[in-house]
Amino acid sequence: MRSMKILFLRFLAVLPLAGIAFAAQTALMTESGSNDKIHVARGPGGGTSGD
Amino acid sequence: MFGKIFEMLSTIRFRFVRMLIGKMNVPQTLSIQLDLTHACNLRCTHCYHDKHLRTNEMSYDQWMQVLDKYDALRVRLGKEPSILFCGGEPLLSEHFFSMLDVVRTRWPGCSIAVLSNGTLIGPQLFEGKRLDGVRFQISFDGVDAATHDCVRGEGSFERSVAGVGYLRLRGVPFSFQAVLSKRTAKFIPSFFALAKSLGATEMNFTRMVAVGNAAELMARDADGPMEGEALRSALVAILDSSRTIGVPTNTAKPLFNIIDSTLGAPQYIGFQGIVVDPSGNLKVSSRTPTVLGNVLSEGLEKPFLRHEPMVGLRAGKIDGCANCAHFRKCGGDRNVAFAKTGSYFTKDPGCWL
């Protein structure tokens, strides 16, 4: 099931649809911890930090 | 006529992409950090900028062009807006309040954050100004005047504390951020206690990146980034202090996943977090000097989506991390790697694995 999902994301990642391809690339290469919300008030990438 | 049809098609396209992305575990926002000015009223010993000259800064109209290009890109990528004002010290920019109004009007309800040293916050600057919908991140690099002012200058601790007192009075949420280094790691529990006592919503840490003034500090052996077992212990202390003192901390960062498999996230550099400097240069990140292009002359989309470092980072081409089980929830700190090796594609020098 997981390999099917990865294959599907790889297919989406090469589509000439910038938004979907970009999101598929992000999903293929990154993942956020399921428990972050216990310690963090925001989702990744959208908060303050200046990183 | 054609304009309206084009606008309608754009809206349908945006909603379709939003619907699909909404089902994926990916950031739903495309944040942009607007470095409004290089100017700063402090001269911090570890700052990643080594000079604070107001040269070649964009006009208000040019900033509006940057916002237009950002909006076009984030719509194309199906993302919600998220705006960060930074600098230098953003409150020293003549455009700060007008830009704040523009952002608030253009994207009602969007996340707006101001990254400030806190020393200029008070009635003199903010009386009569709207602050609703804005949250502040205030920098603290010590837990009292003695440990803070040796980095940020005499009297700065007292002025920052007064600044957050004013925010509290106005009901504006604020978090604290400290640079995590060999020096500050000793104060981790005290940072959380300070945050709690002053009413901060979070106590966050960002690892020291040895560029700008910090590189000079490191050369003098006065301070430096943490690595290996010392860094692991510091991250564990952050988690422990957050839990015991009861102030949240941001764990959606590299390396936390190695300590706790339910935590951690990569920095999303290349995927998320556009940084535009006061001259309109698009940067890989705020803490490294690499410029991808100028937004005014080259636009935003091409350099962000097609420039070599961004393409490589999105492809996950990190030497020494390819087979690591933690990679997708860690990725290593790309800024720290660049500062040490000159490459964004080397293993995080702080990693203890």
Side-chain angles (χ1 to χ4, degrees), chain B residues 5 43 86 107 121 128 134 139-140 161 184 203 256 258 265-266 321 350:
Chain B
I5 292 172
R43 293 291 179 270
C86 190
W107 299 293
I121 295 172
V134 181
S139 301
F140 274 94
V161 169
T184 58
M203 181 65 235
F256 277 110
I258 306 174
C321 294

Side-chain angles (χ1 to χ4, degrees), chain B residues 262-283:
Chain B
T262 66
L263 302 177
Q267 284 172 313
Y268 290 100
I269 294 177
F271 298 99
Q272 168 63 281
I274 291 165
V275 179
V276 180
D277 82 2
S279 308
N281 294 317
L282 174 67
K283 296 174 70 186

Side-chain angles (χ1 to χ4, degrees), chain B residues 16 26 32 36 58 62 97 110 141 171 176 183 192 196 199 286 294 311 319 350:
Chain B
F16 174 68
V26 296
I32 185 165
L36 294 181
M58 283 191 288
Q62 287 172 319
F97 287 109
C110 102
D141 289 302
F176 290 170
R183 187 188 72 86
F192 281 92
K196 187 165 191 173
S286 61
N294 189 279
V311 173
D319 294 337

Side-chain angles (χ1 to χ4, degrees), chain B residues 146-159:
Chain B
T147 53
H148 180 87
D149 291 2
C150 63
V151 173
R152 294 187 160 258
E154 200 176 332
S156 57
F157 182 80
E158 196 180 324
R159 294 204 301 275

